[in-house]
Amino acid sequence: MASKFLQLYGYDLLLGSIAAFYVLMVPYTKVEESFNIQAMHDILYHRHQLHNYDHLEFPGVVPRTFIGALLVSILASPIIVVINLLHLPKIYALITVRLVLGCVILSTLRFFRVQVRHKFGHQVEAFFVLLTALQFHLLFYCTRALPNILALGVANLAYGYWLKGNFYAALNCLIFSTIVFRCDTLLLLCPLGLELLMTKSISVWEALKRCIGIALLCIGLTVAVDSVMWKRLVWPEFEVFWFNSVLNRSSEWGTHPFHWYFTSALPRALLAAYPLFLLGALLDRRVLILVLPVFAFVLLYSKLPHKELRFIISSVPIFNLSAAVTANRVYNNRKKTFWIFLNVILRGLLLISLGCTIISFMASYENYPSGYALRELHHIGSLANNTNEQWVHIDTFSAMNGISRFCENNFPWRYSKEEGIPLKEFSERNFTYLINEHSAVDGYKCSFTVDGFSRIRVQLGFPPILLVKDPKVYIHVNLNCKDVTYKSWAGCS
């Protein structure tokens, strides 16, 4: 019985365990995840009381859809009820929604993987799982509430239907992703649709009949749901498209050269799979047909000046499949003269992937200093047994680097994320504590600091690679609060 279970779900347990490990070790979130994370918190804790929702006070640059947050919140709600009944801190709810999101994304990856097994065999599936497990970014990000990750889940379904031969279903999935989650999925939809037309897998008339109806339904869904949540008529992804593509405002957040996805992002995301996927497209014609539209997706995306790895994370499963085909070919021919050398290289690449993933995890563990700062403040502040309200001001930097509403505690703790307060004005405010990026604030004493990841340093000796950390977040206490300033805290360096 156990053997049958492992045969059916062993790969899912492996990938799920790694993703869960990342969640438990690094539960905090960054600014890119903030909209969906805050939305999940508000749906679960404020429910129909929209006036308390975070997005109405901090709307962000462009609106985002609530559909993904609603889905995850509904699935997580039974566990959240238990957490609330047990009066556990809300950080457990954050871990829960992230684990639920990871289950959703990995279930879609399973659908794709099963189709890989049917089309390419069990060994290719095994190498696909191995390469995915040894990569850091896919499993680390699959539990993070980014619009790109929600789009990745739908893209996995599209890839699965594509391999299954259900081409119209694949196109419908990408249409849904484009309209609801990420408008840039259009850059994947167009090359795939063009290839299917050129190979006569679909017809223009049938595609129009099937896809236009789905597109209208998706627009209706997102407009209906999000107009209620945003309290105005809105189609979020259309506004995102207008902002990023038509106005080209995304470049205000930094730019990279055209080749950056191919020379930096993909090598870091794929690791050992990067050189292998290029060979896979040459070794198997079936793989070339799969790789070309996805490669075109990355190529088209490269024209936009603002680039981030998460923008192209939907390409990773297909590139991993191509790499798995190469690895399988090398493994099957490992006893032949020429292939012995390639087998040694393959093993070396897998070890390098493991090493890079460990280093990436260690760096990421230190990359959420504000979350650790607030956790420590809660611990130390609670020792004073105060019955008065403890007001904590969280600056923009801290809100972007680890703190969300899931990190907040109940009475006597109160929180403010008011923006634009000059440093000189804090002495006139009644905040008990400040969590910010400034080492000194008038009227406050710096109580302790939290270091964060700064850079990697290579050195001779052991260990050959060091993670360099610098003070990132400072916790200050109001000098007028006599009941807390006497505490013997670590102090600021």
Side-chain angles (χ1 to χ4, degrees):
M1 187 69 178
S3 175
K4 183 68 173 178
F5 179 83
L6 288 176
Q7 184 179 351
L8 290 173
Y9 302 106
Y11 291 146
D12 302 299
L13 287 174
L14 173 63
L15 298 179
S17 297
I18 296 171
F21 172 78
Y22 290 148
V23 172
L24 296 174
M25 295 302 295
V26 191
Y28 304 109
T29 57
K30 285 270 190 178
V31 61
E32 296 88 354
E33 309 158 63
S34 61
F35 172 76
N36 279 310
I37 283 295
Q38 308 287 37
M40 291 175 194
H41 171 276
D42 294 342
I43 292 167
L44 290 166
Y45 287 93
H46 297 311
R47 299 182 181 90
H48 64 281
Q49 299 172 340
L50 292 182
H51 60 278
N52 289 326
Y53 276 45
D54 185 85
H55 72 285
L56 297 177
E57 184 178 0
F58 302 99
V61 179
V62 288
R64 290 292 185 185
T65 182
F66 273 82
I67 291 175
L70 274 169
L71 172 63
V72 174
S73 300
I74 290 170
L75 295 174
S77 57
I79 304 174
I80 303 301
V81 169
V82 175
I83 289 173
N84 293 337
L85 288 174
L86 296 176
H87 301 290
L88 296 174
K90 285 197 288 188
I91 189 67
Y92 290 100
L94 174 59
I95 292 171
T96 298
V97 295
R98 287 192 56 200
L99 288 174
V100 168
L101 174 60
C103 288
V104 171
I105 302 302
L106 291 180
S107 66
T108 65
L109 188 66
R110 170 186 168 80
F111 176 72
F112 172 58
R113 177 173 55 77
V114 169
Q115 308 313 315
V116 169
R117 182 204 308 156
H118 292 160
K119 195 172 185 70
F120 294 93
H122 287 276
Q123 284 189 187
V124 172
E125 178 193 17
F127 276 111
F128 175 85
V129 172
L130 177 62
L131 290 168
T132 303
L134 292 178
Q135 293 166 351
F136 174 72
H137 288 89
L138 185 63
L139 293 182
F140 184 78
Y141 278 100
C142 76
T143 63
R144 299 198 165 273
L146 298 159
N148 313 85
I149 296 304
L150 297 170
L152 168 65
V154 184
N156 286 335
L157 295 177
Y159 296 148
Y161 284 122
W162 187 12
L163 287 180
K164 202 173 181 180
N166 196 339
F167 304 120
Y168 294 108
L171 293 177
N172 286 337
C173 286
L174 295 181
I175 289 170
F176 177 82
S177 177
T178 300
I179 291 172
V180 176
F181 292 136
R182 286 294 302 189
C183 60
D184 47 35
T185 311
L186 183 67
L187 299 177
L188 177 59
L189 171 64
C190 290
L192 176 57
L194 181 61
E195 180 182 272
L196 293 176
L197 285 172
M198 292 177 65
T199 57
K200 297 183 179 180
S201 300
I202 60 173
S203 69
V204 175
W205 177 243
E206 191 67 20
L208 288 174
K209 277 200 308 182
R210 297 196 183 198
C211 296
I212 288 177
I214 291 295
L216 293 175
L217 284 174
C218 292
I219 293 171
L221 174 65
T222 184
V223 170
V225 171
D226 294 311
S227 295
V228 171
M229 305 304 288
W230 284 96
K231 296 186 175 182
R232 65 181 177 91
L233 187 65
V234 61
W235 173 8
E237 278 311 298
F238 180 78
E239 294 196 17
V240 173
F241 170 77
W242 189 265
F243 182 89
N244 288 339
S245 301
V246 178
L247 301 180
N248 197 23
R249 295 279 304 278
S250 63
S251 58
E252 296 173 9
W253 279 261
T255 62
H256 289 94
F258 179 85
H259 58 78
W260 186 80
Y261 283 131
F262 298 100
T263 57
S264 178
L266 282 176
R268 286 184 288 119
L270 297 176
L271 298 176
Y274 189 58
L276 297 177
F277 102 81
L278 296 170
L279 289 173
L282 301 175
L283 292 174
D284 194 321
R285 187 177 178 182
R286 296 173 299 173
V287 172
L288 179 61
I289 293 174
L290 297 172
V291 165
L292 280 177
V294 181
F295 189 86
F297 161 66
V298 179
L299 197 64
L300 291 170
Y301 223 135
S302 297
K303 291 187 66 66
L304 292 178
H306 179 58
K307 298 176 175 66
E308 294 186 39
L309 188 154
R310 60 191 171 95
F311 292 169
I312 60 162
I313 200 165
S314 295
S315 66
V316 171
I318 288 293
F319 291 155
N320 278 348
L321 168 58
S322 180
V325 169
T326 302
N328 182 59
R329 182 71 65 90
V330 172
Y331 178 79
N332 287 339
N333 294 280
R334 65 190 181 279
K335 295 183 180 179
K336 298 179 181 178
T337 305
F338 173 73
W339 295 87
I340 292 175
F341 177 66
L342 294 180
N343 188 46
V344 172
I345 293 177
L346 173 62
R347 292 168 183 260
L349 287 173
L350 295 177
L351 288 175
I352 291 171
S353 283
L354 177 61
C356 290
T357 294
I358 292 172
I359 294 170
S360 297
F361 165 72
M362 293 170 62
S364 295
Y365 181 81
E366 304 290 349
N367 212 20
Y368 299 80
S370 314
Y372 300 120
L374 185 57
R375 182 184 67 183
E376 186 66 16
L377 177 60
H378 285 152
H379 173 68
I380 296 176
S382 66
L383 298 178
N385 292 320
N386 290 313
T387 56
N388 298 325
E389 289 184 340
Q390 306 292 298
W391 273 96
V392 182
H393 181 268
I394 300 164
D395 75 344
T396 302
F397 176 85
S398 301
M400 293 169 62
N401 289 278
I403 294 179
S404 69
R405 284 193 170 188
F406 281 109
C407 300
E408 298 174 357
N409 282 357
N410 296 324
F411 185 86
W413 297 97
R414 301 287 298 277
Y415 306 88
S416 169
K417 293 192 294 183
E418 183 181 346
E419 298 176 349
I421 303 177
L423 277 181
K424 295 180 180 179
E425 192 177 313
F426 278 107
S427 60
E428 304 170 11
R429 298 297 190 98
N430 64 340
F431 297 120
T432 315
Y433 304 101
L434 308 179
I435 301 180
N436 61 34
E437 59 179 325
H438 303 287
S439 58
V441 180
D442 291 342
Y444 291 79
K445 172 189 174 185
C446 182
S447 297
F448 64 94
T449 65
V450 175
D451 293 342
F453 173 73
S454 179
R455 64 190 183 278
I456 292 175
R457 189 175 74 200
V458 180
Q459 65 175 14
L460 295 175
F462 185 84
I465 296 176
L466 286 178
L467 300 183
V468 179
K469 297 188 292 182
D470 294 324
K472 297 290 185 180
V473 177
Y474 300 82
I475 289 74
H476 307 272
V477 61
N478 194 323
L479 290 173
N480 294 322
C481 297
K482 303 301 182 184
D483 55 340
V484 295
T485 53
Y486 78 93
K487 300 300 295 182
S488 179
W489 291 358
C492 290
S493 55

